[in-house]
Amino acid sequence: RLAGDGEIGDEPVLAPSDLPSRITPSGAAGTAPADPAAELASCVGIEPVKREVEALVAEARAERLRREAGMPVASRPRHLVFTGDPGTGKSRVARVLGRMYADLGTLSTGALVETDRADLVGEFPGETAAKVRAAVERALGGVLLVRDVHVFATAEGARGREAVDVLLSAVQAHPDDLLVVLTGPEAELNGLLRSHSELAATFPRVVRFPDLADDELVEVFARRAAETGFALADGVLAKIGRLVRAAPRDRGFGNARVMIDLLDRAVALQGRRVLADGVVDETESLDEILLADVPDALGPARDARPGDPVAAIEALVGLEPVKAEVRALDAEARAEPMRRDAGVTQNAPARHMVFTGNPGTAKTTVARLIAAVYARLGLLSSGHLVEVTRADLVAEYVGQTAPRVRAAVERALGGVLFVDEAYTLAAGGGGDRLDFGPEAVAELLRLMEEHRADLVVIVAGYAEPMERFLSSNPGLRDRFPRVLSFPDYSEDELVAIFESMAGAAGFRLADGLLGAVRRRIAAQPRGPEFGNARFVRNLLDAAIARQAQRITGDPSGGVEPPASAEVTLLRPEDLPSVPPARASAEERHGHYL
């Protein structure tokens, strides 16, 4: 407003009436935000949540009217717990509720501050309290959302308990202008509240966010596409519906996040298609998604994975019983969506497995290929393999084992967690009563159930110790219903593996070499420690090293460089006459190992 009586003055004058009634969450004081009630109504699904929010706002409005009428209004906690799977709108609803409370004057700004473990739990003494207080200070006047509080409250030991205690103290110190919302999985948060009476008293109201139904997920995709300016060609939404119905919907499913990710991938494929020739003509559109642009599975980047993992398994030497089991696994996985489309209802089978066998029988290789098979079928989102042993899972001190197991599982989400020599978790290092191996097993079983939609766990080891391992915990046999036995290789198969490895390394084999390899294998004792393909790998490595000495000769002797054909040729005299040294853990690599 400009100074003067109807005239334009020389200097602008800011009057109190020009100031906004409150600062908007966006920080743009001059622009009013969209109606939060309308935004809540526009959220797809979550009808029970909408009713809960309407009740909360009605209660806050009634409290304000009573206070204005001079009635004594008892202050009671309004802090909330939001439970549910990812992608169900917990953060968005918290933001909308903050704005509604700000419109009522219950909160001064209604702005949302989101935090998680990294924002609240410190690494050094005293750091946790400072972090929690800083987060509360940032959120004053609005909403403080704490994601997955159960993670650090139950697993971080003293630091996690300190974070919860300081949070409670800070919340109680600011009763009038702060709303705190805890979010996470329903079972874990309910367990935390039952075990912490003061926390339960401060957060008395639990709002459950349901998973989105199939048609609601399709609607999320359509709305998101429209919001970002994309039109959908005929058949696109029908294909989205088929993908949604075929996807596993166990605990941890990403709901709306999965649809947003699917749209992002479709947009990327559309751009790649339209710009493939570097020209956009009148027959192509940058704002229309065609049926061909929609990926064939919900998980990311499966479409571009090269090779056929089932064919790769079939190409391995030997392992006929294992190949038969893998073919059965593949057939079962392919039949699931067919049965679902035909109206046959069945529970998703447990896909966790036990691999038994001696070293060098391709257990790790098959696990890696099975991960790729499941990813291609849409049962896993990435299809990678994470290998761990007891040392990666079991800690030496109280409170450290569960976080190690969780870290390993988080790295493996979307793929396969391969636990080698898993029986050592139950063996416990010789019966030490302070051993934390059983704790690692219990935590692993819990996380397998929590992430059953996008995780396969394979435990591996010698047959007899693995049998004892399965008997060490009542839940193991139920969680690992399928056992694949990897037989030792025969002499013929080991010779074939030697030939395959040498060929893959670019070597040719002279006459008589394979016969010498067969005799060397036959002379090797076949006890439980026999390395199978690892023995063959070491034999080949030793032969390559001896061949290098043979073709280079003595540099001071003036020997002529060998012909190129000789450089790539392995002869019988290159084989060592004594058993090759056992490979270290770092050297055990390649097919069949």
Side-chain angles (χ1 to χ4, degrees), residues 198-535:
E198 188 176 3
L199 191 69
T202 307
F203 293 85
R205 196 155 188 167
V206 178
V207 180
R208 183 182 179 277
F209 283 65
D211 285 340
L212 300 183
D214 292 348
D215 58 340
E216 291 170 344
L217 289 171
V218 175
E219 185 178 352
V220 168
F221 185 95
R223 287 195 186 185
R224 183 75 172 190
E227 290 169 1
T228 52
F230 285 94
L232 303 179
D234 293 341
V236 167
L237 291 183
K239 181 174 181 179
I240 300 300
R242 291 193 297 272
L243 293 178
V244 168
R245 289 190 294 274
R249 295 292 300 274
D250 296 322
R251 187 180 178 194
F253 179 71
N255 290 282
R257 295 182 187 176
V258 177
M259 293 295 97
I260 293 171
D261 176 70
L262 184 64
L263 176 63
D264 290 343
R265 293 165 53 216
V267 170
L269 292 174
Q270 185 249 29
R272 191 182 309 169
R273 170 182 58 80
V274 172
L275 300 175
D277 56 1
V279 177
V280 181
D281 57 29
E282 65 277 1
T283 66
E284 297 173 317
S285 173
L286 282 171
D287 62 357
E288 183 180 23
I289 295 176
L290 303 183
L291 190 62
D293 300 325
V294 180
D296 293 326
L298 292 186
R302 295 185 202 103
D303 345 17
R305 182 174 288 103
D308 182 353
V310 175
I313 293 174
E314 293 290 345
L316 295 174
V317 174
L319 303 176
E320 294 308 321
V322 174
K323 293 176 182 177
E325 287 284 357
V326 171
R327 286 193 289 268
L329 289 171
D330 182 55
E332 288 176 10
R334 292 180 182 277
E336 277 186 46
M338 300 178 187
R339 291 170 179 153
R340 192 180 299 112
D341 290 343
V344 177
T345 58
Q346 61 176 24
N347 294 326
R351 297 188 175 87
H352 311 297
M353 289 172 271
V354 179
F355 284 5
T356 65
N358 289 329
T361 48
K363 296 188 291 295
T364 306
T365 293
V366 172
R368 183 175 290 107
L369 292 172
I370 284 177
V373 170
Y374 280 164
R376 275 183 168 263
L377 295 173
L379 304 177
L380 292 174
S381 60
S382 67
H384 65 289
L385 182 78
V386 173
E387 300 179 58
V388 295
T389 63
R390 174 187 167 86
D392 300 303
L393 303 178
V394 180
E396 298 178 359
Y397 305 103
V398 175
Q400 295 181 342
T401 293
R404 283 195 183 189
V405 176
R406 280 196 299 276
V409 168
E410 288 171 3
R411 294 199 309 272
L413 285 180
V416 168
L417 178 66
F418 184 83
V419 185
D420 200 11
E421 298 181 337
Y423 51 83
T424 59
L425 298 176
D432 184 353
R433 61 189 179 89
L434 295 178
D435 177 71
F436 302 111
E439 179 187 351
V441 173
E443 182 69 7
L444 180 61
L445 290 176
R446 186 185 71 80
L447 293 172
M448 287 165 56
E449 187 65 24
E450 180 176 333
H451 300 291
R452 61 183 302 173
D454 203 19
L455 176 71
V456 170
V457 177
I458 297 177
V459 292
Y462 294 105
E464 291 185 9
M466 288 303 296
E467 177 62 28
R468 292 194 294 271
F469 170 70
L470 293 176
S471 302
S472 67
N473 185 301
L476 282 171
R477 290 193 187 275
D478 292 337
R479 299 298 198 285
F480 295 93
R482 195 182 295 263
V483 178
L484 273 64
S485 298
F486 286 67
D488 286 341
Y489 290 108
S490 67
E491 287 183 13
D492 289 342
E493 290 168 345
L494 290 173
V495 171
I497 290 172
F498 183 97
E499 186 175 14
S500 173
M501 287 180 173
F507 288 95
R508 297 174 299 112
L509 306 182
D511 293 341
L513 177 63
L514 291 182
V517 169
R518 184 183 299 276
R519 290 190 294 273
R520 186 68 196 78
I521 292 171
Q524 183 68 19
R526 288 291 197 105
E529 296 295 320
F530 177 66
N532 285 283
R534 292 180 186 172
F535 171 82

Side-chain angles (χ1 to χ4, degrees), residues 58-73:
E59 291 173 13
R61 184 178 290 113
E63 285 185 8
R64 186 186 67 174
L65 293 175
R66 293 184 188 117
R67 190 176 293 108
E68 291 174 350
M71 294 178 61
V73 179

